Structure formats: C-alpha cells, structure tokens
C-alpha cells in the first residue's frame, strides 16, 4: 500500500520566515501550519463528514471544524459560500481577537484583525499561500498563523456576483 499523504508545502514569508503547511488524512481531515516564528495551528474536520472537493479542508460547516492555536481552542465560523463574494469569508475568534479572511478580488482575500486590513493572501487551495503584508500594518505571529491556515484550508478570492450571474445565465443559452 502506498502512502498518498501529500508532502508539506513550504512557504517563505518576508516577515515570518519559513512556514510549513501540511495536509493530513486520507481526505484532508487536518491542516497544520507551523514555523519557527509563528504559533502552530491545527484545523481539523470531524470524521465521517461529507467532503466537498472544492474546499481543501472539505467543509464550510463550523459544527464540523475545530481550530487550535498553540493548543488553545479558537472559534471558527466560515460563511456559507453562496452567490455573493462576501459569503466566502471566514471568521475566527482567538485570544480575544477577531479575524476575518474575506475575498476582495478574483484571486485574493484580505485579512482583517479587529477590522484593520493587515494583508492580502492568495491560494488556489493547493496549500501554497502567497502573502503580501500591508506597509505599516505590523502583523504579529498569531496573525500570520491564522491567515495561512485559513487561506490554505478554504482558498482565497472569489468572482463578483455579476460574473457568477453571467456564467449561470450563459449555461441556459443555446
């Protein structure tokens, strides 16, 4: 029997150095993000949950997701991911701080900490995450750990509603 576990993805962040993103389990039940200068995060999908192949972690249902940061539990609430781009947001509450990763263009999403825009992230859901921290934002290690975890688990970006409507209508045209 061959091991089908994908190799960890290593990313080099300008501010936080090497970051390792690992996907574990036969159907990607766990995403772990770690690095020398960031806290270790683990996002786990409950066993036996139906898997959505379009999402690296397999579900957007918060009842089936558990997020820990340095061993402490955090609250995660992904949006339902419906017609509007904003519905693909993911909210996290950790150590008294609110985070939101929300699509702001087709390829990328922005990270907000307590409403402040810290940086922009892009990922196709392949565990490779690109980060662009905003000048003057002063991100902290916890910010990076959460952003990389969310981007790797849910992907980033989203089409605007008008583009999705055009695609839907064009499917019905001869």
């Amino acid at each position: 029997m061959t091991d089908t576990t994908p190799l960890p993805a290593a990313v080099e962040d300008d501010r936080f150095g090497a970051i390792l993103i690992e996907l574990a389990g036969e159907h990607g039940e766990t995403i772990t993000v770690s690095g020398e200068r960031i806290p270790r995060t683990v996002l786990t999908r409950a066993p036996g949950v139906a898997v959505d192949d379009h999402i690296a972690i397999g579900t957007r249902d918060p009842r089936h997701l558990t997020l820990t940061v340095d061993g402490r539990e955090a609250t995660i609430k992904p949006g339902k991911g419906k017609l509007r781009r904003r519905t693909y947001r993911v909210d996290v509450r950790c150590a008294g701080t609110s985070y939101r990763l929300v699509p702001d263009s087709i390829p990328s999403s922005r990270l907000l900490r307590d409403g402040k825009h810290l940086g922009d992230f892009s990922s196709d859901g392949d565990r490779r995450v690109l980060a662009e921290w905003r000048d003057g934002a002063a991100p902290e290690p916890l910010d990076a750990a959460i952003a990389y975890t969310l981007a790797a688990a849910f992907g980033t970006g989203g089409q605007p509603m008008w583009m999705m409507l055009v695609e839907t209508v064009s499917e019905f045209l001869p």
Side-chain angles (χ1 to χ4, degrees):
M1 180 179 220
T2 29
D3 183 12
T4 58
T5 302
L7 294 173
V11 178
E12 189 66 32
D13 184 278
D14 292 343
R15 295 186 187 204
F16 298 99
I19 295 176
L20 196 61
I21 301 169
E22 301 174 81
L23 183 64
E26 187 176 332
H27 299 289
E29 290 89 357
T30 302
I31 291 179
T32 302
V33 174
S34 59
E36 287 184 21
R37 300 191 310 220
I38 66 168
R40 183 174 192 263
T41 61
V42 179
L43 179 59
T44 305
R45 185 184 73 245
V49 173
V51 175
D52 182 339
D53 292 332
H54 294 97
I55 306 167
I57 194 65
T59 185
R60 297 187 70 82
D61 187 336
R63 296 173 301 169
H64 303 300
L65 294 170
T66 303
L67 176 64
T68 60
V69 181
D70 257 358
R72 296 173 308 190
E73 195 162 327
T75 304
I76 183 165
K77 292 183 181 177
K80 298 226 184 262
K82 298 294 181 189
L83 191 59
R84 293 185 356 216
R85 187 186 290 177
R86 285 176 35 123
T87 65
Y88 286 89
R89 75 187 176 284
V90 182
D91 293 321
V92 168
R93 184 96 176 139
C94 180
T97 303
S98 294
Y99 291 93
R100 174 171 280 182
L101 186 72
V102 62
D104 62 358
S105 68
I106 291 174
S108 69
S109 294
R110 66 179 169 262
L111 175 70
L112 305 170
R113 176 185 66 211
D114 292 330
K116 182 180 179 189
H117 186 172
L118 298 180
D120 301 297
F121 291 79
S122 60
S123 177
D124 294 334
D126 60 359
R127 292 175 297 116
R128 302 238 184 259
V129 177
L130 299 173
E132 193 173 314
W133 299 105
R134 291 180 61 109
D135 291 335
E140 299 172 6
L142 178 60
D143 305 334
I146 290 191
Y148 276 94
T149 301
L150 298 181
F154 298 100
T156 59
Q159 293 182 332
M161 190 165 79
W162 67 267
M163 190 178 284
M164 292 170 71
L165 287 171
V166 168
E167 285 181 8
T168 301
V169 169
S170 67
E171 286 180 22
F172 294 106
L173 296 176

